[in-house]
Amino acid sequence: MYSKTKIYIVDRSSGKSPVLFGKQEFIYAVNAAGASVENVTFWSDVEKDTLCIVMGESTGRLIEKLLEETGVKLQNRAEGVILQWCRTGKGKVLVVSGTDEKGLMYALLELADRVRCRGIGSLFEVENIHEYPDNKVRGVDRFVMGHRDDEWFYSEDFWVSFIQRMAKNRFNRFTLITGFDTAYMSPPYPFFVEVPGFPAVKVKDMAPGRREKNLEMLKFIGKTCKSYGIEFFFATWQQQPWTDNQKFLVENIPLDDEEFTRYCTGGMRELLLSCPEIDGIQLRVNFEA
């Protein structure tokens, strides 16, 4: 009969941000359920009748050896989640693993959810699981439409909470979309950077320091995404307002198509150079765009 007051962890993970988040959530859940977690270097250091979890990416030699000796053959696929009971000379250990850092984070978050819902006893009832995502990209979009969105766009607490929730639900891509049927951030570039060769293109009545603040928030969103194993994509729906009822918020936009194209090309380049946290760009190309 396992003790329900103490759990041991042999941590052979990379210890990078996504894994660290999963481990912290697991420890919080265990502590909230009235038990403690202790790190040990090997299962020989574990007290009798206590649960030992061996965690790490499946490419780690110790994890690989335990799985091999149990006859587990893993698929070479990203974000795989592995929960597997393995025998050792001293008894059984629960291997909590992933085919990469994201997979390991998902495995730890899975256990944290079980403990929160059904208590410490749920850990002793874990069945062997080897699962892989059917969809390579699992994304969430969010539209920024105007100044009414400032409350959440400029809130670091909001972004941390929002992106943590995405990670807990195994989403792996976030896309921030600008210019959706609004003149706000159409085009998006002058709201974040100054485009070389086009010093006159500016946002009307933008407060001093606002552009720099916008860029810092974009960088913060990207860095936060990285901490939880999520790709950050930036999207634009339209490069300029397409209907007469959308008043231009940007002044001195080049009227010549060739010059405007050159401006947008330079703007995108400058945005990517200024915010390397962006993993990809989406152009929502459609009739009105």
Side-chain angles (χ1 to χ4, degrees), residues 15-282:
K16 294 182 180 179
S17 294
V19 176
L20 183 61
F21 173 60
K23 185 179 179 182
Q24 287 174 339
E25 287 294 305
F26 176 68
I27 292 174
Y28 293 156
V30 170
N31 291 161
S36 63
V37 176
E38 185 173 329
N39 285 294
V40 293
T41 56
F42 208 68
W43 51 76
S44 57
D45 301 324
V46 172
E47 295 175 8
K48 186 180 179 182
D49 296 327
T50 51
L51 175 63
C52 179
I53 291 174
V54 182
M55 60 170 280
E57 294 84 351
S58 62
T59 52
R61 185 62 194 123
L62 180 62
I63 302 293
E64 192 177 50
K65 188 172 185 294
L66 284 169
L67 295 176
E68 282 178 356
E69 291 178 352
T70 309
V72 175
K73 294 183 179 179
L74 300 178
Q75 299 179 35
N76 185 23
R77 294 172 60 187
E79 302 180 11
V81 171
I82 299 102
L83 300 175
Q84 176 70 48
W85 291 98
C86 296
R87 289 209 164 272
T88 68
K90 195 173 179 180
K92 288 196 305 182
V93 296
L94 177 59
V95 171
V96 179
S97 184
T99 53
D100 51 26
E101 292 164 358
K102 291 183 189 180
L104 177 54
M105 176 184 69
Y106 296 152
L108 289 163
L109 292 173
E110 170 71 24
L111 292 185
D113 271 348
R114 294 186 186 204
V115 172
R116 277 192 287 266
C117 292
R118 301 197 300 276
I120 294 296
S122 64
L123 296 176
F124 316 132
E125 301 167 357
V126 170
E127 296 182 355
N128 296 329
I129 293 174
H130 314 140
E131 60 184 16
Y132 306 86
D134 290 328
N135 295 321
K136 182 179 179 181
V137 176
R138 305 174 302 281
V140 171
D141 297 345
R142 193 170 183 92
F143 296 80
V144 55
M145 305 283 288
H147 292 299
R148 291 182 180 178
D149 295 327
D150 286 355
E151 183 178 359
W152 57 262
F153 182 74
Y154 293 117
S155 171
E156 293 185 358
D157 289 341
F158 165 77
W159 285 113
V160 171
S161 175
F162 178 74
I163 292 167
Q164 281 184 349
R165 181 171 293 187
M166 285 184 60
K168 289 178 180 179
N169 288 279
R170 302 193 188 183
F171 289 101
N172 61 8
R173 178 180 293 177
F174 170 65
T175 304
L176 182 70
I177 303 173
T178 62
F180 175 64
D181 274 355
T182 173
Y184 189 70
M185 295 192 180
S186 297
Y189 318 113
F191 288 82
F192 297 98
V193 295
E194 181 175 322
V195 181
F198 296 89
V201 180
K202 296 180 180 179
V203 180
K204 296 177 182 178
D205 302 321
M206 178 178 275
R210 188 66 173 250
R211 186 178 66 195
E212 291 76 13
K213 184 179 180 181
N214 288 343
L215 180 61
E216 284 305 308
M217 283 312 304
L218 208 61
K219 293 167 70 69
F220 178 82
I221 296 167
K223 289 175 182 176
T224 305
C225 283
K226 299 291 184 301
S227 296
Y228 300 99
I230 294 172
E231 293 180 320
F232 176 42
F233 273 51
F234 182 88
T236 177
W237 191 274
Q238 57 182 7
Q239 299 282 24
Q240 61 180 328
W242 70 284
T243 59
D244 293 336
N245 61 354
Q246 293 177 332
K247 295 181 180 179
F248 278 64
L249 298 181
V250 179
E251 57 187 3
N252 301 318
I253 290 179
L255 299 178
D256 177 73
D257 284 348
E258 187 172 333
E259 273 296 283
F260 182 61
T261 299
R262 195 165 70 84
Y263 170 76
C264 291
T265 302
M268 186 175 296
R269 181 186 296 111
E270 192 65 20
L271 182 63
L272 290 172
L273 289 172
S274 301
C275 186
E277 292 80 6
I278 295 174
D279 294 303
I281 290 285
Q282 287 185 6

